[in-house]
Amino acid sequence: RVHQFGKVELFSVTSPLQSGAKLWSLVELQLEILRDLGISPLRVLDMPHRELGASAARKFDIETWFPGKNAWGELTSASNCTDYQARRLGNSYSYNDKDGNKQKSFVHTLNATALAVPRVLAALLEQGAAAGNDCENFWIPKVLRGKCGLPQDGRINPVKE
């Protein structure tokens, strides 16, 4: 990668039959986190195959509106890598088929970004400034108020020199 940044990742290992539903549950968790932070609007993009990396069979991106750029920008993504990574690592599981015969299959792996810190901070600052209609005041999401010394009313006024 050309860039690197701090983020919190989600990983899941599941059976092939459950991986499609698990991918959507990761997207729903990402949306819940972003909504709890008050980031809005949000849109979910089902990425075309030409946009996927070698390991991903399906990928969703979640974007928000950045008023300062007057454009949508990616906040998080979630990918179903099916058995691509599991085959390389030799991760498999055993199960009994409908006739009771023991079978072996590779697991499916999924990953998602829970929080890409710089992207989320940029969205909070831009949308917080836009909500106050100026760049002098910023609003802190309710879920963060009172944490780490942040004010309970959610308003931050930068010190003027």
Side-chain angles (χ1 to χ4, degrees):
R1 292 200 169 200
V2 177
H3 63 280
Q4 138 180 6
F5 53 89
K7 60 183 175 175
V8 179
E9 283 285 316
L10 302 167
F11 294 96
S12 183
V13 177
T14 188
S15 72
L17 292 175
Q18 297 171 329
S19 68
K22 176 54 81 174
L23 177 60
W24 189 247
S25 73
L26 289 172
V27 171
E28 288 175 331
L29 179 58
Q30 292 171 309
L31 288 167
E32 181 182 344
I33 291 167
L34 296 170
R35 287 180 182 132
D36 284 352
L37 289 170
I39 297 174
S40 173
L42 297 168
R43 70 180 184 184
V44 178
L45 304 175
D46 190 354
M47 302 306 290
H49 289 287
R50 69 180 177 275
E51 297 287 328
L52 304 181
S55 64
R58 190 165 190 194
K59 178 181 158 192
F60 290 103
D61 283 355
I62 299 176
E63 295 184 335
T64 193
W65 184 255
F66 285 89
K69 294 192 296 187
N70 198 32
W72 290 90
E74 180 187 335
L75 288 176
T76 65
S77 65
S79 300
N80 186 346
C81 298
T82 63
D83 61 0
Y84 181 88
Q85 295 168 326
R87 286 181 182 278
R88 297 182 74 183
L89 294 169
N91 294 344
S92 61
Y93 71 103
S94 298
Y95 65 97
N96 291 329
D97 66 15
K98 63 181 179 179
D99 297 323
N101 299 315
K102 193 168 191 169
Q103 301 292 323
K104 187 175 178 181
S105 180
F106 287 101
V107 298
H108 279 195
T109 58
L110 301 94
N111 59 69
T113 310
L115 200 67
V117 177
R119 294 175 184 175
V120 168
L121 285 176
L124 288 172
L125 290 172
E126 284 198 31
Q127 292 181 2
N133 243 356
D134 62 45
C135 291
E136 297 294 323
N137 300 291
F138 297 96
W139 293 96
I140 302 300
K142 286 182 182 181
V143 295
L144 298 179
R145 294 178 189 174
K147 310 270 192 266
C148 304
L150 295 171
Q152 288 291 339
D153 68 359
R155 189 178 185 119
I156 291 183
N157 298 85
V159 176
K160 294 183 182 180
E161 295 182 23

